[in-house]
Amino acid sequence: GDSVVQTEGQVLPSEGDSLIVNCSYETTQYPSLFWYVQYPGEGPQLHLKAMKANDKGRNKGFEAMYRKETTSFHLEKDSVQESDSAVYFCALSDEWNNRLAFGKGNQVVVIP
Amino acid sequence: IAGITQAPTSQILAAGRRMTLRCTQDMRHNAMYWYRQDLGLGLRLIHYSNTAGTTGKGEVPDGYSVSRANTDDFPLTLASAVPSQTSVYFCASSEGQGNTDTQYFGPGTRLTVL
């Protein structure tokens, strides 16, 4: 079945550092890919998405490129701020439905 | 517009008891979902409904049941709660069931089964 892998646990960049949160996926389909962000005490909310290979999702300075050849969708930002501290989940839905498969999530804590 | 509301916010429950988690959306979305979130495991789909009157099983459906009598409400029932069902439960909805439809999540219900 479909799966999403996020390997790192907690990520601790300093304010102003660049950030990469890794995401790889496995599926036999042509998925849509998503990053969801979750702040303390809230439900996840869509951060960005890419619908097909070579699409780039963008939001609030974050980017993620849908790379079919490496089955990856890494989240990147050039210069993080303290307000970017949150848990980030990578997810996919296959081409036939909207049921999401999530990775385990990475907690990003930006050190001021 | 409230979006998605869930009730209760949190609950402590004795094992063996029956419990219904409520979810209501006011966006007239066709599709609704229930996920559970466990530390180190991310979110996993329990059940879903593509439209009123239909439901389907997700990744971890055992021990849970759902109904979708109308568009707005999607309750999740634990018939006989067990400690392994201790989790944070999120309801979500999307306008349609296509893979381009954004899912919107509620604030969650924190359930502890003792």
Side-chain angles (χ1 to χ4, degrees), chain A residues 32 34 36 38 41-44 46 49 51 89 93-95 97-100 102-104, chain B residues 33 35 37 40-43 45 48 90 94 96-103 105-107:
Chain A
S32 296
F34 308 85
Y36 277 79
Q38 185 178 30
E42 299 182 7
L46 180 66
K49 65 182 178 182
M51 298 290 100
F89 292 98
S93 63
D94 68 38
E95 61 185 314
N97 61 66
N98 200 18
R99 301 193 286 274
L100 292 171
F102 283 86
K104 295 180 180 181
Chain B
Y33 315 84
Y35 295 88
Q37 182 177 20
L41 294 176
L43 289 95
L45 181 65
Y48 65 93
F90 289 100
S94 62
Q97 59 180 290
N99 67 353
T100 60
D101 290 305
T102 298
Q103 288 191 28
F105 285 76

Side-chain angles (χ1 to χ4, degrees), chain A residues 40-56:
Chain A
E42 299 182 7
Q45 56 185 278
L46 180 66
H47 192 46
L48 54 81
K49 65 182 178 182
M51 298 290 100
K52 61 183 188 300
N54 301 318
D55 276 358
K56 182 179 281 188

Side-chain angles (χ1 to χ4, degrees), chain A residues 44-85:
Chain A
Q45 56 185 278
L46 180 66
H47 192 46
L48 54 81
K49 65 182 178 182
M51 298 290 100
K52 61 183 188 300
N54 301 318
D55 276 358
K56 182 179 281 188
R58 294 184 177 90
N59 185 33
K60 297 180 182 177
F62 287 85
E63 293 184 344
M65 174 70 84
Y66 185 162
R67 297 189 187 278
K68 186 168 182 284
E69 65 277 12
T70 56
T71 62
S72 64
F73 192 54
H74 304 320
L75 182 68
E76 301 180 4
K77 188 174 186 182
D78 284 342
S79 177
V80 292
Q81 304 168 357
E82 197 173 351
S83 58
D84 294 326
S85 296

Side-chain angles (χ1 to χ4, degrees), chain B residues 43-110:
Chain B
L43 289 95
R44 294 177 292 170
L45 181 65
I46 305 171
H47 284 287
Y48 65 93
S49 169
N50 287 334
T51 190
T54 69
T55 63
K57 294 181 179 180
E59 181 185 353
V60 288
D62 293 344
Y64 305 95
S65 63
V66 291
S67 60
R68 187 88 185 277
N70 57 60
T71 296
D72 299 343
D73 302 299
F74 191 43
L76 176 73
T77 297
L78 289 68
S80 179
V82 296
S84 62
Q85 292 178 309
T86 293
S87 188
V88 181
Y89 291 86
F90 289 100
C91 180
S93 71
S94 62
E95 186 171 357
Q97 59 180 290
N99 67 353
T100 60
D101 290 305
T102 298
Q103 288 191 28
Y104 297 88
F105 285 76
T109 293
R110 182 174 295 275

Side-chain angles (χ1 to χ4, degrees), chain B residues 1-65:
Chain B
I1 295 178
I4 297 181
T5 56
Q6 294 185 236
T9 302
S10 64
Q11 182 75 45
I12 299 174
L13 190 66
R17 297 296 296 270
R18 181 184 179 90
M19 176 73 192
T20 296
L21 308 185
R22 301 185 297 279
C23 174
T24 300
Q25 52 103 358
D26 63 3
M27 298 175 282
R28 306 302 293 171
H29 283 174
N30 287 309
M32 297 187 75
Y33 315 84
W34 274 104
Y35 295 88
R36 60 177 287 175
Q37 182 177 20
D38 302 291
L39 194 65
L41 294 176
L43 289 95
R44 294 177 292 170
L45 181 65
I46 305 171
H47 284 287
Y48 65 93
S49 169
N50 287 334
T51 190
T54 69
T55 63
K57 294 181 179 180
E59 181 185 353
V60 288
D62 293 344
Y64 305 95
S65 63

